[in-house]
Amino acid sequence: MIFYFSGSGNSYYAANVIAEKLDTPLISMAKCLQSSKLDFDARHDKYCGFVFPVHFWGVPYLVTEFIKNINMKLTSDTYVFAVYTCGGGAGNTSKMIEKLLKKSGITLSSVFSIKQIDIFVPLFKIPPKDKQEEVILKSNIELENIIKHIQNLDKGDYDENKGTLPFLATSILYPFYSYYRNTYKFRVSDLCTACKKCESICPLKIIEIKDNKPIWKQKKCTLCFACMHICPAQAINYGNVLFFFDSKNKGRYRNPYAPKSY
């Protein structure tokens, strides 16, 4: 079985391809948390995988909560792997996910990373279509190599996208993740049509349409930006223009090859 979490569809696309090649079930971490279905028996499964995006050079809040709360039955022969997608460097994500799983009694066999489109639009613009296709093409090659490693049951750290000084990058930058998860940083313009797509896609189910506009019912989210990237009117923005940290006019992106529903 493969557990996945995705905001823009990048990680879902990767998880879906891997699951098809390995002929193993695909399970949404977000939906498991929503339904409190956290008991799993993988003793008859050859593989157990975790696929997710990198957030602030580390593991996303939602993934952390899922792993902390799962009750997983495995055997010593189960091959456990993690695959994460990243727009830039992944930092020390490999060590973070290894420690998280270990605390839940799960021994990680291997880790992999895939470079994808960076969707952190408060800082980066979404590249034009031709550049997107270049990145996707390269990521597909990475994905094929990862699948071969998994099928061969290769063990080790195969993350080739750690970036410069990964331990230092995560140690310095990941602590800021909690602050930037504050939902007051989101704002909604009059372009909003109350289509409810943001409400539907929110993995934590903390968005609600009220007075024809979305509101965030909790102070913090997992910062996946799924709500922003799915908004057809680009009515949702995040950040502060005055501090040159804002998503306005930076474009939006959803992986064109990912299944529509995730």
Side-chain angles (χ1 to χ4, degrees), residues 4-250:
Y4 75 91
F5 165 58
S6 186
S8 67
N10 284 335
S11 295
Y12 183 42
Y13 169 69
N16 193 60
V17 171
I18 296 170
E20 286 184 355
K21 291 289 185 179
L22 301 182
D23 191 25
T24 191
L26 193 58
I27 302 169
S28 165
M29 297 188 210
K31 290 179 180 177
C32 288
L33 284 171
Q34 292 163 20
S35 63
S36 297
K37 183 184 177 183
L38 298 165
D39 295 322
F40 301 96
D41 189 343
R43 288 175 293 182
H44 300 291
D45 292 77
K46 186 176 182 179
Y47 310 101
C48 178
F50 298 85
V51 184
F52 55 90
V54 171
H55 284 184
F56 274 72
W57 292 266
V59 180
Y61 166 77
L62 185 145
V63 177
T64 299
E65 288 301 299
F66 176 77
I67 292 174
K68 281 181 178 178
N69 290 285
I70 55 173
N71 177 29
M72 178 76 73
K73 293 180 180 178
L74 299 166
T75 70
S76 58
D77 294 327
T78 307
Y79 181 83
V80 181
F81 64 89
V83 178
Y84 37 85
T85 59
C86 56
N92 210 33
T93 302
S94 61
K95 295 300 181 185
M96 284 187 69
I97 190 65
E98 182 180 15
K99 289 179 181 178
L100 272 170
L101 290 168
K102 189 175 182 179
K103 286 181 179 179
S104 290
I106 302 170
T107 301
L108 190 63
S109 304
S110 60
V111 290
F112 308 90
S113 65
I114 303 172
K115 185 67 72 73
Q116 264 289 3
I117 305 295
D118 199 324
I119 67 159
F120 198 78
V121 284
L123 282 179
F124 309 107
K125 281 187 176 182
I126 298 298
K129 294 287 185 181
D130 58 334
K131 295 296 182 182
Q132 291 178 25
E133 288 299 325
E134 286 181 19
V135 174
I136 291 171
L137 182 61
K138 289 179 181 178
S139 72
N140 284 339
I141 295 171
E142 287 183 290
L143 189 54
E144 288 176 8
N145 290 331
I146 288 169
I147 291 170
K148 288 177 183 177
H149 279 300
I150 295 171
Q151 289 173 329
N152 292 334
L153 305 181
D154 294 331
K155 295 185 178 182
D157 186 339
Y158 295 92
D159 178 2
E160 298 180 355
N161 297 297
K162 294 180 187 293
T164 306
L165 301 173
F167 174 78
L168 192 61
T170 299
S171 298
I172 293 173
L173 298 168
Y174 191 74
F176 287 99
Y177 178 40
S178 179
Y179 168 73
Y180 284 105
R181 285 175 46 225
N182 284 305
T183 55
Y184 74 81
K185 294 179 180 293
F186 286 99
R187 66 184 188 277
V188 184
S189 75
D190 291 335
L191 293 172
C192 177
T193 62
C195 68
K196 295 188 177 184
K197 287 186 176 181
C198 55
E199 180 182 274
S200 176
I201 202 170
C202 178
L204 294 179
K205 296 302 176 189
I206 63 170
I207 296 178
E208 178 184 339
I209 302 299
K210 191 172 183 180
D211 297 327
N212 292 320
K213 281 189 177 181
I215 61 167
W216 283 257
K217 298 183 290 183
Q218 293 182 17
K219 291 182 178 180
K220 292 190 177 185
C221 67
T222 195
L223 207 65
C224 66
F225 290 150
C227 56
M228 281 204 310
H229 288 284
I230 201 172
C231 178
Q234 294 192 26
I236 300 174
N237 278 290
Y238 174 96
N240 191 317
V241 178
L242 295 177
F243 293 100
F244 303 100
F245 183 79
D246 192 77
S247 62
K248 191 174 182 179
N249 301 323
K250 299 280 186 66

